[in-house]
Amino acid sequence: MKLSTQVKPISYLKSHAAQIVDEISESRQPLLITQNGEAKLVVMDVQSYEEQEQTLALLKILAMGSKEIQAGKFRNAEEVFADLDRSE
């Protein structure tokens, strides 16, 4: 979590929902909501959420590729380019 993340109790969320939407939309900084002193959820703007999801998807693809390389499931670039040249 970023150091600039604000922390507020759930009662603040309940009583300031519209203000929170405006602030988070403008600042793009997430808001950590606590309940009984425990972190319970994070409120963030949609653009930040979508960017985070795209980043996670790319990381998953990289992890899958790394596992395939470790398992020996790959071809060197020269073979791939040679196949592409032959198919033209």
Side-chain angles (χ1 to χ4, degrees):
M1 196 74 43
K2 295 178 185 175
L3 294 177
S4 61
T5 300
Q6 291 187 47
V7 179
K8 299 286 183 186
I10 196 163
S11 58
Y12 183 84
L13 174 66
K14 292 176 184 177
S15 60
H16 296 88
Q19 178 185 346
I20 290 169
V21 169
D22 290 341
E23 288 175 4
I24 292 175
S25 295
E26 184 179 319
S27 71
R28 298 197 59 207
Q29 295 298 314
L31 175 64
L32 178 65
I33 301 297
T34 62
Q35 186 175 32
N36 299 322
E38 249 184 76
K40 289 293 182 178
L41 61 98
V42 176
V43 180
M44 63 193 320
D45 66 288
V46 173
Q47 185 177 354
S48 295
Y49 174 78
E50 289 173 346
E51 289 170 359
Q52 183 176 354
E53 289 296 302
Q54 289 174 350
T55 300
L56 287 172
L58 289 172
L59 288 172
K60 287 178 184 179
I61 290 168
L62 288 172
M64 288 171 32
S66 180
K67 285 181 183 178
E68 288 184 359
I69 289 170
Q70 290 174 356
K73 298 179 182 178
F74 66 92
R75 296 183 344 167
N76 66 41
E78 290 82 17
E79 288 179 31
V80 173
F81 288 123
D83 286 351
L84 289 171
D85 287 339
R86 281 192 291 271
S87 66
E88 291 180 0

